[in-house]
Amino acid sequence: MAFRGAGWGWSPRCAAAGPTQLSPNPRLPPGLKNLELAAVGGSDVHVKMLAAPINPSDINMIQGNYGLLPQLPAVGGNEGVGQVVAVGSSVTGVKPGDWVIPANPGLGTWRTEAVFGEEELITVPSDIPLQCAATLGVNPCTAYRMLVDFERLQPGDSVIQNASNSGVGQAVIQIAAALGLRTINVLRDRPDLQKLTDRLKNLGADHIVTEEGLRKPEMKSFFKDVPQPRLALNCVGGKSSTELLRHLAPGGTMVTYGGMAKQPVIASASQLIFKDLKLRGFWLSQWKKDHSPDQFKELILTLCDLIRRGQLTAPACSEVPLQDYLRALEASTQPFVSSKQILTM
Ligand SMILES: NC(=O)c1ccc[n+]([C@@H]2O[C@H](COP(=O)([O-])OP(=O)(O)OC[C@H]3O[C@@H](n4cnc5c(N)ncnc54)[C@H](OP(=O)(O)O)[C@@H]3O)[C@@H](O)[C@H]2O)c1
């Protein structure tokens, strides 16, 4: 079968998006290439991609700044959902029509179709919204694990997080609400702050504070009414993370999972000595290495249950056809966008 899978290959470290580079199609934008689709072997699955987001980690991977880099040439995109078209004779876990997501990063989801090994895929129920399925495998999983794995929190306890409008942040708000936890959500100030505040409150956010507000003395009285959080989730680093630490309860934990400000996490000696705060990190890829595929599938099913109950929705999204990926890439690197770019195929 020839010339059916269009994929996005990155440059300058990657010239072609697949094993066989064919002559460039003048109608495709730069970076998109037609690749020959591999034959479906016994343990292979032919997948038609449906939708795939552009996440910061995809960009980091392209820049070569990520903890895991694929062999080049490679196709971009670590997350997304596809539909099974055909399966090889020894495939037992998926069947044509099923929806599948990547089992691990590095699959290359920014393409129209591909042939993958069965072990590279996880089935997801197709009764959840497409945008939920396309954004399920990374951010909600990260949010869930961070909320339950670091501190033993009880309903009524509070959690503080920065970059609360991020994909992970929106999942934290919703999953925390489902667990009965209160969220203190820090945002960068912006012209449409009220609109964003309303949207996050609709998702279940209890409190919204700007980065500037968090530094004000008024926060002392805020914590007279709201329990001091024992868990802080840090997506940003730099001053923002120092402020999260300032408001953590003694003995509490700050989990760093992102470094959007590209600034180091700075904790004062007194925070560590007198408050015994714990600084931890979380990386979903490591969690998956430390756990079995069945445990990952169980996590996915737990999140699907929340989706079905209306307790977890997809992040705010803008769908962009794969052909216009340059526009989507540009938008995904702008500040204050508050909308995840999702490539549709
Ligand atoms: N460790 C893990 O396992 C894991 C898993 C998933 C995600 N992540 C990481 O989590 C982070 C968020 O991912 P996502 O997909 O949720 O992102 P996203 O939906 O694209 O949102 C990006 C967020 O970063 C904020 N931001 C961007 N530049 C910033 C800066 N210079 N200073 C402060 N905030 C900034 C944005 O805020 P504005 O609206 O104010 O611009 C927005 O809240 C990324 O670093 C990603 O790699 C880690």
Side-chain angles (χ1 to χ4, degrees), residues 1 4 37-38 40 44-50 81-88 91 94-100 112-116 121:
M1 191 183 297
R4 292 199 39 220
L37 204 60
V40 181
D44 289 339
V45 180
H46 176 191
V47 176
K48 179 188 180 311
M49 290 306 299
L50 301 174
V81 63
Q83 185 161 38
V84 174
V85 177
V87 299
V91 170
V94 290
K95 56 182 187 321
D98 283 353
W99 281 9
V100 286
T112 53
E113 58 188 307
V115 173
F116 299 117
L121 304 166

Side-chain angles (χ1 to χ4, degrees), residues 17 27 89 100 112 128 169 190 207 217 273 288 294 332 339:
R27 280 171 303 175
S89 54
V100 286
T112 53
I128 60 172
R190 66 197 69 222
H207 309 281
I273 298 169
K288 285 190 199 171
D294 279 348
S332 71
S339 182

Side-chain angles (χ1 to χ4, degrees), residues 147 153-159 172-183 204 206 227 306 311:
L147 285 170
L153 300 175
Q154 304 295 332
D157 285 347
S158 59
V159 175
V172 164
I173 290 170
Q174 297 176 84
I175 297 167
L179 296 172
L181 305 172
R182 302 199 226 179
T183 51
D206 295 279
L306 290 178
Q311 292 176 306

Side-chain angles (χ1 to χ4, degrees), residues 54-58 60 66 79 138-143 146 162-170 186-190 196 211 234-237 240 256-262 281-286 315-316 332-341:
I54 299 179
N55 289 324
S57 54
D58 301 324
N60 295 151
Y66 197 63
E79 204 183 17
V138 180
N139 290 343
C141 297
T142 300
M146 293 193 299
N162 54 19
S164 310
N165 60 328
S166 66
V168 177
Q170 292 176 62
V186 185
L187 289 172
R188 294 200 286 185
D189 200 1
R190 66 197 69 222
L196 181 57
E211 292 278 358
N234 171 35
C235 173
V236 177
S240 176
T256 292
Y257 68 95
M260 293 305 297
K262 297 186 167 52
F282 179 80
W283 190 27
L284 185 68
S285 301
Q286 189 59 48
S332 71
T333 55
Q334 298 306 308
F336 314 133
V337 176
S338 296
S339 182
K340 184 141 315 262
Q341 306 296 306

